[in-house]
Amino acid sequence: MDWPPSPLKELSKAAWHKAARKLRAELLHLQHRLRDADFPVILVFGGVDGAGKHEFANLLTEWLDPRFIRTQAYAHRQHPERHVPPLLQYWRDLPPCGHTSIVLSGWYSPPLMARARDEIDVAEFRQRLREIAAFEQDLVADGVLLLKFWMHLDADAQRARLGEMMSDPHNVWQVRPRDWANLHLYDDFMRATEIVHEISSEEGLPWMAVDGRPRHARAALVAQHVADALQSRLAAPPPKAVVKRPREKVHDHLSRVQHPKLSKSIYQEMLRTSQAELMRHSRRLLMQGRGLMIAFEGWDAAGKGGAIRRLLQVLDVRFVQVYRIAAPDPDELAHHYLWRFAKRVPGPGEIAIFDRSWYGRMLVERVEKLTPATRWRRAAEEIGRFEKQWTDNGNVLLKFWLHITKDEQLARFERRSENPLKEWKLTDEDWRNRERWEDYQTAANDMLDQTDWAYAPWHVIGANDKRHARIAVLQAVNAALAAC
């Protein structure tokens, strides 16, 4: 990227009107084609105040069909609550396939202003930028067309622009007191900006720098760049077939699982003790404002529902939500696969329990070939970042794999089929999944190998004995909450 940006020569009024008619027609046509595409568009605008970010967002929204374009402005949401991952709000606002999102004062603004104000040091600033780069890479790898524009003015031009807007009754509302305050940080802001561009370029996600002085010329330049990028992406050939890589040695975690048993009397005593402890920990969690996520995976009929019910018996249901994750609906399919889980992340002091989770990408989607191999192979790194953002902010995450043997599953299926109160739980899909036991076991071992991190370890629990499994889950949750 050229930095600072090359100067632009302003267009005459006649030249602008001619260019605008052509660009609007081209962009409308491309937006119509985008509606049938399998990817969304995200336009990220950064730069100094008064350089034209908001004006271009308004222009593009005026030109295009407003049903399929949305501006996400985060100027008033730059200070998330304690323990809330900084990137969470952006995950939740991702556009679906076929739509366009314009991001103003987005994910770069908080760390950039924090560095300009000397609230964080250079090392932390670089680390946060690397996390942003990883977030953007996850989006691009999933198919998002991500375009980033840096609108630039030098200090004198910015001061003049703000003064000009203050004297215009139609634009005075755009100037806020903080804009003048930020002007005094101009040199510090620009030093931080150089690091932003450096890391973005290193990570293969460069900005397009734009001279923010000539209004019409800058609008024409950005609009043409958007049109060219979208035209190129829509004309791109389908991806080539994935070349299979040699399989690495994977530990067979599941074959080593033990299945202890508990007598009914010992179970009932341990249940009372463990549930009383959980009640105390959950109240402290609420007072601390930390969030808790619990993800359950495992074989069909492994006892996930029973373990969840023993948790719910003593938790305050006002602050707990259970999500039973099934196949994604059309809206969820149109988004990044982590989007539907980001929407369900609990607030401070709240608890979210997932009966099946984001690990479906590495399990059912892999085994049933519901997603390309390139995507499920990439999932471990994406999920790792998602979980680390959660735990890095003082929250708690527990992941359980409830394991039963193939013979035990068959016995439970047969008992369910004979019980009028439980036969509804047994479906044709359960029997079909059982036929692919070895495939699912391979996928599960891969998943456990690749996603067992110190900050988010797996608890693999032998569940042939339901009593043992329920107590083991309660004890693991209590131990994690006690460590907070």
Side-chain angles (χ1 to χ4, degrees):
M1 181 196 71
D2 293 333
W3 183 256
S6 302
L8 290 175
K9 183 178 180 181
E10 181 60 298
L11 299 176
S12 66
K13 184 177 291 186
W16 163 243
H17 286 316
K18 180 179 179 181
R21 283 194 299 271
K22 176 179 176 294
L23 285 168
R24 184 180 184 185
E26 185 177 2
L27 286 169
L28 275 169
H29 174 67
L30 291 169
Q31 185 189 34
H32 177 73
R33 290 179 58 194
L34 178 64
R35 292 290 297 122
D36 296 322
D38 61 352
F39 65 91
V41 177
I42 299 180
L43 309 178
V44 179
F45 284 87
V48 303
D49 299 321
K53 295 171 289 187
H54 299 82
E55 289 91 333
F56 186 79
N58 290 344
L59 179 68
L60 205 59
T61 303
E62 175 189 342
W63 278 2
L64 300 180
D65 188 332
R67 295 174 297 172
F68 309 116
I69 184 170
R70 182 180 180 187
T71 297
Q72 303 283 3
Y74 297 94
H76 302 296
R77 290 189 276 167
Q78 297 296 358
H79 302 286
E81 296 179 85
R82 185 184 177 200
H83 299 310
V84 175
L87 293 175
L88 179 60
Q89 60 184 327
Y90 310 118
W91 271 112
R92 289 172 169 168
D93 291 341
L94 292 179
C97 293
H99 288 237
T100 299
S101 179
I102 302 174
V103 177
L104 302 174
S105 300
W107 41 84
Y108 284 95
S109 292
L112 184 55
M113 293 311 303
R115 178 62 201 140
R117 298 186 184 110
D118 203 26
E119 296 169 355
I120 58 176
D121 60 23
V122 173
E124 182 178 349
F125 182 49
R126 286 180 173 274
Q127 175 59 32
R128 291 177 67 175
L129 293 178
R130 297 287 184 195
E131 292 171 359
I132 289 172
F135 166 66
E136 293 180 344
Q137 287 167 341
D138 286 345
L139 300 183
V140 171
D142 198 63
V144 172
L145 175 58
L146 177 69
L147 303 175
K148 303 194 298 187
F149 300 94
W150 194 270
M151 315 299 285
H152 180 67
L153 292 172
D154 61 35
D156 291 338
Q158 185 185 25
R159 185 177 294 104
R161 178 64 52 78
L162 293 176
E164 180 184 334
M165 293 167 69
M166 285 287 292
S167 63
D168 184 346
H170 298 293
N171 290 314
V172 65
W173 61 272
Q174 296 186 55
V175 183
R176 295 152 296 184
R178 72 170 195 176
D179 296 333
W180 292 106
N182 290 345
L183 186 59
H184 295 293
L185 296 171
Y186 186 89
D187 291 340
D188 299 305
F189 182 84
M190 293 313 300
R191 281 191 287 271
T193 292
E194 291 175 1
I195 300 176
V196 170
H197 295 317
E198 171 198 331
I199 291 180
S200 290
S201 296
E202 288 177 358
E203 299 294 340
L205 299 160
W207 296 81
M208 177 181 181
V210 179
D211 179 3
R213 292 174 299 171
R215 288 184 175 85
H216 296 155
R218 78 189 179 206
L221 178 67
V222 173
Q224 189 62 65
H225 187 79
V226 172
D228 291 345
L230 187 50
Q231 174 69 47
S232 176
R233 177 60 183 276
L234 289 168
K240 297 180 180 179
V242 179
V243 177
K244 292 186 177 181
R245 295 175 295 183
R247 179 175 170 76
E248 297 179 0
K249 182 178 176 59
V250 175
H251 297 94
D252 188 356
H253 301 269
L254 301 183
S255 67
R256 301 196 300 266
V257 176
Q258 301 296 309
H259 296 273
K261 292 185 177 181
L262 290 179
S263 68
K264 186 174 182 179
S265 60
I266 293 177
Y267 165 70
Q268 289 177 337
E269 179 59 31
M270 294 183 74
L271 181 65
R272 284 192 294 271
T273 303
S274 297
Q275 287 185 327
E277 185 178 354
L278 177 60
M279 187 183 301
R280 293 193 298 271
H281 286 314
S282 65
R283 290 172 180 168
R284 186 164 60 89
L285 185 80
L286 182 62
M287 289 188 293
Q288 291 176 334
R290 301 176 192 271
L292 168 62
M293 288 199 294
I294 305 176
F296 283 91
E297 295 288 352
W299 301 104
D300 295 326
K304 295 183 291 296
I308 291 171
R309 283 194 295 276
R310 271 61 187 183
L311 296 171
L312 294 176
Q313 284 173 350
V314 293
L315 295 175
D316 189 334
V317 293
R318 294 175 298 172
F319 306 107
V320 182
Q321 182 66 56
V322 177
Y323 299 104
R324 290 181 169 83
I325 303 300
D329 62 31
D331 190 35
E332 292 167 341
L333 282 172
H335 286 84
H336 191 287
Y337 74 98
L338 288 175
W339 174 78
R340 64 170 169 160
F341 301 105
K343 291 199 310 175
R344 294 171 168 87
V345 165
E350 297 177 347
I351 300 171
I353 301 174
F354 295 87
D355 184 348
R356 304 292 188 191
S357 70
W358 42 93
Y359 283 100
R361 171 64 48 119
M362 301 182 71
L363 295 169
V364 64
E365 292 187 36
R366 166 184 172 171
V367 174
E368 303 298 337
K369 295 181 171 53
L370 300 175
T371 194
T374 49
R375 293 192 173 183
W376 61 254
R377 284 179 177 144
R378 193 175 63 241
E381 292 182 3
E382 295 171 335
I383 289 171
R385 287 189 281 269
F386 178 74
E387 294 179 354
K388 194 170 190 300
Q389 288 171 27
W390 177 249
T391 57
D392 276 355
N393 284 273
N395 302 298
V396 184
L397 171 65
L398 287 113
K399 305 186 298 191
F400 294 101
W401 177 274
L402 299 191
H403 184 64
I404 56 176
T405 61
K406 194 173 183 181
D407 289 343
E408 176 63 21
Q409 185 189 59
L410 178 59
R412 292 185 183 185
F413 278 8
E414 290 174 343
R415 287 196 295 270
R416 282 183 176 183
S417 67
E418 297 167 359
N419 187 339
L421 299 179
K422 293 187 176 182
E423 61 180 352
W424 61 271
K425 290 185 175 183
L426 190 60
T427 66
D428 291 339
E429 184 177 354
D430 293 332
W431 288 107
R432 187 177 64 82
N433 290 345
R434 179 176 166 78
E435 293 176 359
R436 304 198 65 178
W437 179 280
E438 287 72 22
D439 293 333
Y440 275 100
Q441 183 164 271
T442 297
N445 277 317
D446 278 348
M447 177 195 74
L448 295 170
D449 235 21
Q450 297 172 31
T451 62
D452 185 37
W453 298 292
Y455 57 86
W458 277 101
H459 299 267
V460 182
I461 294 173
N464 276 4
D465 182 76
K466 292 183 179 180
R467 295 168 184 162
H468 165 262
R470 292 165 184 172
I471 296 301
V473 168
L474 282 163
Q475 290 178 337
V477 174
N478 284 330
L481 294 180
C484 292

